[in-house]
Amino acid sequence: MPELRRWFPADPRKVGDDPDYRFTLANERTFLSWIRTSLAIAAGGLAAISLLDDLPNEQFVAIGLLSLSFVTAATAYRRWALNETAMRLEEPLPPSKLPLFITTAVAVGAVVSVAFVITTV
């Protein structure tokens, strides 16, 4: 169970003091931005399944995008909870690897997709 808490922290609103509401709302907007990003990546994965029928192995592109979408959505909650907890305890915000991970995954995915299209055309 402690391993599960590492990935999905408990409700942070039960610790510390309420921070300035502007910071809480900014943290929530950031969380919602990551969720929108996850939905856009999922839409790309579903579009790959539907629109790339002429390319062989298009399901690998779709599965990659859908997996990236899952990781983004799951990590968004963790990031929100850790930031909220840090603000309530007046501690520095924890560093996040999510932006670097998403940037790298999208860049690598784009290069692989272009190479895939070039070799199949």
Side-chain angles (χ1 to χ4, degrees), residues 6 8 14-15 20 24 30 34-35 37 44 48 53 57-58 63 65 67 82-83 85 87 89 96 106-107 114 119:
R6 179 173 173 250
F8 298 100
K14 296 180 180 177
V15 299
D20 185 333
T24 298
T30 303
W34 283 113
I35 294 298
T37 300
D53 288 337
N57 300 321
E58 82 277 354
I63 290 170
L65 288 171
S67 298
L82 292 176
N83 286 346
T85 300
M87 288 188 300
L89 297 175
S96 174
V106 169
V114 166
T119 59

Side-chain angles (χ1 to χ4, degrees), residues 16-78:
D17 300 321
D18 287 340
D20 185 333
Y21 71 91
R22 293 173 292 183
F23 299 126
T24 298
L25 293 174
N27 190 31
E28 185 177 327
R29 282 190 303 272
T30 303
F31 167 75
L32 293 172
S33 294
W34 283 113
I35 294 298
R36 278 193 306 273
T37 300
S38 174
L39 288 170
I41 295 169
L46 295 175
I49 290 172
S50 299
L51 302 175
L52 299 178
D53 288 337
D54 344 356
L55 297 176
N57 300 321
E58 82 277 354
Q59 66 270 20
F60 293 118
V61 174
I63 290 170
L65 288 171
L66 293 171
S67 298
L68 182 60
S69 173
F70 170 77
V71 169
T72 303
T75 309
Y77 172 78
R78 181 176 186 273

